[in-house]
Amino acid sequence: MATVLMVIQVLVALALIAVVLIQHGKGADMGASFGGGSSQTLFGARGSATFLSRVTAVLATLFFATSLGLAYLSARPHSVPSVIRLVQHKAPAVPAPQSAPPSSVPGIPVHKAP
């Protein structure tokens, strides 16, 4: 569930970035009144601003909803313990390695008793 929400959130964030970058600034309408050419857009002179601002509001709402959903899922106690805890509880105890006799250690001379 969290993975699905995270994928949706990334897609919504990318769409939100794209829609914000497409929008005109506040001073862009002034150029249209003097023949800037933006009045001949697909949505008309004011139609694109209203459409893009509504799309931005919807995408922002979806982004906040997915953020709240991810926060809820991460704060909720998990019913399945983590893999590390499973391995720690199920792993058999490893016996301590036995110490090697002094003669098998290289570089250390063996002193025999007289």
Side-chain angles (χ1 to χ4, degrees):
M1 181 73 173
T3 305
V4 173
L5 269 179
M6 195 172 302
V7 168
I8 291 171
Q9 185 174 26
V10 168
L11 293 176
V12 168
L14 292 174
L16 187 61
I17 290 169
V19 169
V20 168
L21 288 176
I22 290 173
Q23 291 183 12
H24 296 288
K26 288 187 177 184
D29 293 332
M30 190 63 118
S33 62
F34 293 111
S38 67
S39 61
Q40 298 176 1
T41 60
L42 177 66
F43 301 106
R46 286 297 297 162
S48 66
T50 324
F51 174 75
L52 291 176
S53 61
R54 286 184 184 172
V55 170
T56 304
V58 169
L59 289 174
T61 304
L62 283 173
F63 184 80
F64 283 121
T66 56
S67 296
L68 289 174
L70 286 172
Y72 173 74
L73 289 177
S74 68
R76 182 176 68 157
H78 298 286
S79 60
V80 178
S82 69
V83 175
I84 295 173
R85 289 184 187 157
L86 287 173
V87 170
Q88 287 176 348
H89 290 298
K90 291 184 180 180
V94 178
Q98 299 195 1
S99 61
S103 63
S104 66
V105 178
I108 298 178
V110 178
H111 296 290
K112 295 185 179 180

